[in-house]
Amino acid sequence: MAVSQDGGASPVDVVEFIDQQPVGGFQVRLLLTCAAVLFLDGFDTQAIGFVAPALAKEWGLTKGALGPVFSAGLFGLMIGALIFGPLADRIGRKKIIIFSTIAFGIGALVTAFVHDLGMLLAIRFLTGLGLGGAMPNAIAMTSEFNPRRRRATMVMIMFCGFSVGAALGGILAAALIPQFGWRSVFVIGGAAPLLLAPILALRLPESVRFLALTGRADARVAELLGLINPKAGFAPATRFVVHEPGLAGVPVLHLFRDGRTLVTLLLWVVFFMSLLDIYFLSNWLPTVLNDLGASVSAAALIGSLLQIGGVVGTFALGSIIDRFSFRALTLVYFVAVFAVAAIGQLGHSVIFVSLAIFAAGFCVVGGQIAANALAAGFYPTAVRATGVGWALGVGRVGSIVGPLVGGLLLSMKWSTASVFMCAAAAALCATLAAFWLSRLAGMGGSGKTAAGQPAFEATLHPSTTAGA
């Protein structure tokens, strides 16, 4: 396959090689490694929401006073995604993932020792920088090692790590806070990433597509492809190519070139509205439920159903998203409109509000994870981390707005039903943007090119050969 008749080595298309392979043990181990990073990312991101009632009580704060604390961490997440996505497209995914993991581990650990609101704001912002850098690169890494036919499913399963970590934050908070106080949650949330970092340094590979695109690491690319398929044999002089553009210059500008502008903007709308809802719900559900009569522990447990629903939704939706793309995403967000609105109507019934929160998580969290996978498949390797990072960065603006708006509406004494109706309106906006994307994906008749690739995706990858 890699050796020509005269004994010379013919170029190997890395993407084509991966697309021809089944998903094997190497990809599964990589998925679990990236999922471990996002597990801790999710735990540390959501921990502040679960400890909020206990923290506010200890410090004598009103519930509205914690809105800026929530948003400070999310602002750091936004900046981290915007900076570390493009940086990873320059220096590699692995370095940024390791650095980000160490950064948010230190930040979480320091959070356990703060004693005033100003310091908490600063530390949550700095922690957010690390949290924001890990996510887009874990998504890009997983996407680039898996075949097209299973790519969305694998990215979505990997991203379940975030939802599981966020849900575990609620379960652990419910168990730890009564016994050890809210600070214990951050001690665990800080120590675990610092223990994981050396493992990442030893076990996490660099993206094979990134290495091939540089054209300077053929031996390492051959080694990684050999791990994907141990039976593959490559001659020592084999060159590895990625038939994508090199895209010199400022990475962000390439998000608006070669027919990407409209889809980039629509993806940003989806991410903005989806993350607005997720962080509104994640941060305020425990407090709202506590106000409605649930204990701090019960509120944390019921609130964790949002992320549990997201995990179930991710596994249920993976193969559907691989097959139906944005059409499936549109339907998921449409159902989310009714699920989110129902939370505000059912708040005094533990059973029914629990079901509504689970359904909202299934649709909103599951939909966001699907959007992550679809965005990763949209962009070429040279700007994949940039594209995903900036979509997440713009989405983080929504995640900042969500908790602030929630705090404002609650401070203005809006009814619970009215507050959640506003959150449902955001899900409706995501539905409309996803529907428009599905229409764009359908342009091209059968939706397939002569090469058998989806027309929507093929138009985004100019045929320039890079790395050759």
Side-chain angles (χ1 to χ4, degrees):
M1 177 175 61
V3 182
S4 62
Q5 294 284 347
D6 60 2
S10 57
V12 173
D13 185 321
V14 170
V15 177
E16 181 181 336
F17 178 89
I18 293 174
D19 284 346
Q20 292 173 350
Q21 310 304 317
V23 174
F26 173 74
Q27 285 114 318
V28 172
R29 289 190 296 273
L30 175 69
L31 181 151
L32 293 175
T33 303
C34 290
V37 174
L38 292 196
F39 174 90
L40 298 175
D41 191 312
F43 184 98
D44 284 341
T45 298
Q46 301 300 330
I48 190 67
F50 290 120
V51 307
L55 187 154
K57 183 177 180 180
E58 180 181 311
W59 289 4
L61 302 172
T62 64
K63 58 188 178 184
L66 289 175
V69 174
F70 297 152
S71 293
L74 298 174
F75 185 68
L77 277 158
M78 177 191 73
I79 300 299
L82 295 177
I83 292 175
F84 291 120
L87 185 59
D89 281 328
R90 297 293 189 189
I91 68 173
R93 325 295 191 214
K94 177 177 179 176
K95 294 174 183 176
I96 297 300
I97 291 174
I98 295 172
F99 172 81
S100 297
T101 301
I102 294 172
F104 73 72
I106 293 173
L109 199 58
V110 173
T111 302
F113 299 97
V114 299
H115 293 280
D116 63 79
L117 192 60
M119 182 62 71
L120 182 61
L121 282 166
I123 294 302
R124 289 309 296 171
F125 170 76
L126 295 174
T127 305
L129 292 176
L131 294 168
M135 187 180 294
N137 287 289
I139 293 169
M141 180 81 79
T142 305
S143 175
E144 290 168 352
F145 271 102
N146 282 284
R148 181 189 303 275
R149 65 187 179 279
R150 301 292 292 168
R151 193 173 300 153
T153 298
M154 296 296 283
V155 170
M156 291 176 69
I157 292 173
M158 183 277 299
F159 203 89
C160 276
F162 184 93
S163 298
V164 173
L168 184 63
I171 296 170
L172 276 181
L176 292 174
I177 291 173
Q179 297 294 323
F180 305 104
W182 64 267
R183 298 176 190 276
S184 61
V185 177
F186 290 105
V187 171
I188 293 175
L194 297 179
L195 293 174
L196 179 62
I199 299 174
L200 295 176
L202 292 173
R203 304 293 297 176
L204 186 68
E206 183 52 88
S207 163
V208 67
R209 290 205 207 181
F210 174 84
L211 292 173
L213 200 62
T214 66
R216 300 189 302 270
D218 286 337
R220 179 56 176 160
V221 172
E223 182 182 350
L224 290 173
L225 295 183
L227 292 174
I228 294 174
N229 181 0
K231 296 180 180 179
F234 303 107
T238 299
R239 292 183 300 117
F240 296 90
V241 299
V242 175
H243 290 284
E244 296 177 1
L247 304 183
V250 180
V252 177
L253 297 181
H254 291 287
L255 305 184
F256 302 95
R257 294 174 179 166
D258 300 316
R260 301 186 188 101
T261 300
L262 180 57
V263 183
T264 291
L265 294 176
L266 288 171
L267 280 172
W268 287 4
V269 172
V270 170
F271 275 65
F272 180 94
M273 294 299 175
S274 182
L275 286 168
L276 184 154
D277 259 357
I278 289 172
Y279 283 88
F280 169 86
L281 295 170
S282 297
N283 284 295
W284 286 115
L285 270 176
T287 301
V288 170
L289 292 170
N290 183 238
D291 288 346
L292 291 173
S295 67
V296 172
S297 295
L301 281 173
I302 296 171
S304 69
L305 288 172
L306 183 77
Q307 299 297 340
I308 294 172
V311 173
V312 175
T314 299
F315 280 99
L317 294 171
S319 60
I320 298 173
I321 294 296
D322 265 320
R323 184 174 180 182
F324 296 106
S325 186
F326 287 101
R327 286 178 290 169
L329 189 65
T330 301
L331 179 59
V332 169
Y333 279 127
F334 183 67
V335 176
V337 175
F338 299 96
V340 173
I343 296 173
Q345 305 293 330
L346 304 171
H348 291 283
S349 170
V350 172
I351 294 175
F352 287 117
V353 79
S354 297
L355 291 173
I357 291 170
F358 179 88
F362 184 101
C363 295
V364 182
V365 178
Q368 176 58 48
I369 294 173
N372 292 335
L374 292 172
F378 175 94
Y379 296 104
T381 302
V383 292
R384 179 166 292 114
T386 298
V388 176
W390 273 68
L392 286 167
V394 171
R396 295 301 178 189
V397 179
S399 72
I400 293 167
V401 171
L404 288 175
V405 169
L408 177 64
L409 297 180
L410 291 170
S411 298
M412 293 170 61
K413 308 299 182 183
W414 278 40
S415 69
T416 301
S418 298
V419 169
F420 283 94
M421 196 63 71
C422 288
L428 180 59
C429 292
T431 302
L432 296 174
F435 176 73
W436 196 349
L437 284 165
S438 73
R439 299 291 293 175
L440 292 174
M443 293 179 181
S446 65
K448 298 285 184 179
T449 66
Q453 295 177 330
F456 178 55
E457 191 168 315
T459 60
L460 305 172
H461 298 281
S463 58
T464 306
T465 299

